[in-house]
């Protein structure tokens, strides 16, 4: 029996629209329909309706077809509850997100696309060829606190504060939108048709890159650490401690190793060319080992298997 999904949003950058992912879903008799009346399941990256009155109106329009909320963006679905039973004003809602532990099955489940080629190692001459010191590419946001299980897992505010401190020391160039008017940002069209290419073009001229995750949770290790390595810029990183299952200590610059931001920047400023190359080459070695030895397709299929299991379980219950 075919299971037909109706997308409540475009589901961009998810297995539901990515070529390999959607093909695998179709091979398992799960496919998209543009005809809402024949859908067995609604799919969305978020379910923003909260008030009961709005939910009731939504249910009247869309009936009691179950909803699957699937997103790998930690801020788009912050529920730690994976199932909401059907009530008179809502259908049943199933959640697959960062906190349900079936999205990031390994550090390569979603972001292995950022590892694209084998890299050459660097020597001390490389240190002198790179004239610019530290890049930071991010837009400025306010009110970034994100409380999960009574813990603030937000790292965006930390990234912004570190960038500002480095900017005030004249050692960090910032590229991004909406920064306070006293911050002069580097002109760079990050939001071009190929934002990722624009990002790499910007950071490739710098010795270091502030590569702090948006949040600190579970296996959530995004492209932020892989991107600077791919252009041989040493990451200044902050994320979850699982990172050391992949990287050795004294490879990237770990913000957690320092008592305060000033001491971290002083350490970076006084780093020798020898230590820089040793650290960067350790990062390159990890990157190359992943590129040469990890089956990225298998890694990307792992969360898709979870999607199929979930959808079949939902359909079985109907």
């Amino acid at each position: 029996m075919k299971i037909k999904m109706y997308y409540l949003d475009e589901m961009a950058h998810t297995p539901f629209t990515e070529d390999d992912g959607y093909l695998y879903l179709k091979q398992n008799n799960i496919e998209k329909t543009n005809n809402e009346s024949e859908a067995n399941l609604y799919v969305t990256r978020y379910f923003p309706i909260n008030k009961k009155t709005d939910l009731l109106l939504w249910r009247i329009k869309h009936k009691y077809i179950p909803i699957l909320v699937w997103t790998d963006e930690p801020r788009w679905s912050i529920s730690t509850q994976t199932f909401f039973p059907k009530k008179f004003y809502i259908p049943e809602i199933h959640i697959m997100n960062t906190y349900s532990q079936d999205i990031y099955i390994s550090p390569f489940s979603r972001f292995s696309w950022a590892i694209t080629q084998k890299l050459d190692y660097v020597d001390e001459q490389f240190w002198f060829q790179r004239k610019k010191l530290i890049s930071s590419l991010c837009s400025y946001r306010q009110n970034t606190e994100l409380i999960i299980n009574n813990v603030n897992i937000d790292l965006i505010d930390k990234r912004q504060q570190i960038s500002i401190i480095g900017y005030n020391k004249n050692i960090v160039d910032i590229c991004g939108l909406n920064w306070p008017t006293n911050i002069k940002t580097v002109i760079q069209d990050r939001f071009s048709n190929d934002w990722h290419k624009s990002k790499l073009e910007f950071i490739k001229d710098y010795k270091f890159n502030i590569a702090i995750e948006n949040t600190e949770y579970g296996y959530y290790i995004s492209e932020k650490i892989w991107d600077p390595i791919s252009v041989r810029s040493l990451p200044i990183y902050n994320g979850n401690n699982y990172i050391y299952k992949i990287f050795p200590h004294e490879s990237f610059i770990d913000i957690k190793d320092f008592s305060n931001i000033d001491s971290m920047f002083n350490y970076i400023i006084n780093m020798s060319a020898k230590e820089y190359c040793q650290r960067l080459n350790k990062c390159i070695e990890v990157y190359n080992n992943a590129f040469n030895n990890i089956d990225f397709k298998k890694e990307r299929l792992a969360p898709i298997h979870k999607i199929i299991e979930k959808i079949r379980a939902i359909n079985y219950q109907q």
Side-chain angles (χ1 to χ4, degrees):
M1 173 183 172
K2 282 191 183 300
I3 300 172
K4 296 192 175 182
M5 307 173 293
Y6 185 83
Y7 296 176
L8 295 175
D9 67 83
E10 65 270 23
M11 298 301 293
H13 310 299
T14 75
F16 294 87
T17 53
E18 293 165 348
D19 291 341
D20 289 348
Y22 183 66
L23 177 61
Y24 198 71
L25 291 173
K26 286 189 69 175
Q27 290 171 350
N28 283 270
N29 292 318
I30 301 170
E31 60 184 47
K32 178 185 178 182
T33 179
N34 292 320
N35 183 354
E36 187 174 355
S37 65
E38 67 178 17
N40 308 103
L41 179 69
Y42 289 122
V43 179
T44 182
R45 290 175 295 176
Y46 48 87
F47 193 67
I49 303 173
N50 295 311
K51 293 186 298 183
K52 284 188 177 182
T53 52
D54 291 339
L55 285 164
L56 178 59
L57 291 172
W58 194 95
R59 195 271 298 163
I60 290 171
K61 178 181 178 182
H62 296 288
K63 311 301 180 186
Y64 278 117
I65 297 172
I67 301 169
L68 174 61
V69 180
W70 192 102
T71 179
D72 56 9
E73 170 49 57
R75 292 171 184 269
W76 287 7
S77 169
I78 61 172
S79 172
T80 56
Q81 186 173 335
T82 59
F83 175 68
F84 295 85
K86 182 170 68 174
K87 298 183 179 180
F88 77 94
Y89 55 89
I90 55 168
E92 65 182 51
I93 303 173
H94 300 261
I95 309 290
M96 299 180 74
N97 61 11
T98 307
Y99 317 107
S100 61
Q101 299 183 358
D102 48 16
I103 298 289
Y104 296 106
I105 299 170
S106 85
F108 302 99
S109 297
R110 291 298 299 149
F111 291 99
S112 59
W113 56 264
I115 303 173
T116 60
Q117 60 184 328
K118 185 176 180 180
L119 303 176
D120 293 330
Y121 293 95
V122 301
D123 56 25
E124 292 185 25
Q125 185 63 32
F126 182 85
W127 166 265
F128 297 102
Q129 290 171 347
R130 289 272 171 108
K131 303 300 183 183
K132 299 180 180 179
L133 193 58
I134 306 171
S135 65
S136 176
L137 192 147
C138 59
S139 294
Y140 187 84
R141 306 182 200 176
Q142 295 180 331
N143 304 317
T144 60
E145 182 179 77
L146 180 61
I147 305 297
I148 301 294
N149 295 327
N150 298 316
V151 176
N152 181 17
I153 66 168
D154 171 64
L155 292 175
I156 293 175
D157 186 63
K158 177 181 283 190
R159 182 171 64 220
Q160 293 173 171
Q161 294 306 314
I162 289 173
S163 298
I164 290 171
I165 292 171
Y167 174 86
N168 289 333
K169 291 178 178 291
N170 295 316
I171 58 174
V172 172
D173 289 338
I174 298 174
C175 173
L177 301 177
N178 304 319
W179 283 84
T181 54
N182 63 312
I183 303 292
K184 184 178 180 181
T185 58
V186 176
I187 298 174
Q188 181 79 13
D189 185 13
R190 180 191 173 189
F191 302 98
S192 65
N193 290 334
D194 192 341
W195 68 267
H196 190 246
K197 181 179 179 180
S198 297
K199 174 186 178 180
L200 298 183
E201 282 295 315
F202 172 59
I203 66 177
K204 70 179 178 61
D205 295 327
Y206 293 81
K207 291 182 172 75
F208 302 87
N209 171 249
I210 297 175
I212 301 175
E213 301 287 2
N214 291 339
T215 56
E216 181 178 2
Y217 196 88
Y219 286 140
Y220 182 64
I221 298 170
S222 76
E223 81 284 354
K224 287 182 174 59
I225 194 164
W226 302 116
D227 282 346
I229 298 170
S230 73
V231 292
R232 297 188 297 176
S233 180
L234 186 61
I236 302 169
Y237 187 74
N238 194 180
N240 64 77
N241 288 333
Y242 191 87
I243 194 71
Y244 287 113
K245 298 288 186 179
I246 310 171
F247 287 84
H249 288 273
E250 298 183 351
S251 51
F252 59 87
I253 301 296
D254 191 341
I255 293 166
K256 294 178 182 178
D257 289 342
F258 299 89
S259 59
N260 56 64
I261 303 308
D262 285 336
S263 64
M264 181 193 73
F265 279 130
N266 287 337
Y267 186 89
I268 289 171
I269 291 169
N270 292 296
M271 184 180 294
S272 68
K274 180 180 179 180
E275 180 184 351
Y276 175 83
C277 292
Q278 287 174 340
R279 284 178 171 271
L280 182 53
N281 281 334
K282 286 181 181 180
C283 292
I284 291 173
E285 183 176 13
V286 171
Y287 185 104
N288 286 345
N289 283 339
F291 179 77
N292 290 328
N293 300 315
I294 293 178
D295 186 340
F296 292 147
K297 182 176 181 180
K298 181 180 179 181
E299 295 289 334
R300 288 192 293 267
L301 282 178
I304 300 172
H305 285 298
K306 294 292 185 180
I307 291 171
I308 292 169
E309 290 174 8
K310 177 69 75 174
I311 289 176
R312 284 176 174 168
I314 295 170
N315 188 67
Y316 179 76
Q317 295 168 9
Q318 303 311 305

